Amino acid sequence: MTTIAILIGTQAGARLLAAASEREAALSAEAFLLRMPVRALPAPLWVQCADPAVSGRLTGYLNALQAEQVRERDARV
């Protein structure tokens, strides 16, 4: 079993998410980021896991998710 920790920085402080699988980590971090005000994005985030490939995939996915949210925000302005 993999243990994954994701730390997301917000204006109110850091939020630590923990998960036992890559899928669970992605879903919980995605849900958290989608609830954040778009003006607060991109939020700094750190993914820690014993498997560097998992850390890299999650970091890339969550950064791309935020970039997409920012692009959509900027397109509406």
Side-chain angles (χ1 to χ4, degrees), residues 6 9-10 14 20 27 29 31 33-34 37 39 44 47 54-56 62 66 70-71 75-76:
I6 300 175
T10 72
L27 290 173
L33 290 169
L34 291 175
R39 69 183 181 285
V47 178
V54 170
S55 295
L62 296 171
Q66 292 188 81
V70 169
R71 278 193 303 276
R76 285 180 259 164

Side-chain angles (χ1 to χ4, degrees), residues 1-76:
M1 183 183 329
T2 304
T3 300
I4 302 163
I6 300 175
L7 185 67
I8 300 174
T10 72
Q11 293 175 338
R15 176 70 181 255
L16 179 62
L17 307 172
S21 72
E22 186 174 355
R23 180 178 176 89
E24 180 186 345
L27 290 173
S28 62
E30 178 182 341
F32 181 80
L33 290 169
L34 291 175
R35 286 191 310 267
M36 286 183 66
V38 178
R39 69 183 181 285
L41 298 178
L45 62 87
W46 299 267
V47 178
Q48 191 162 14
C49 177
D51 185 338
V54 170
S55 295
R57 281 193 301 272
L58 284 168
T59 299
Y61 171 70
L62 296 171
N63 283 331
L65 174 72
Q66 292 188 81
E68 180 181 333
Q69 294 298 106
V70 169
R71 278 193 303 276
E72 288 176 10
R73 173 197 66 197
D74 293 346
R76 285 180 259 164

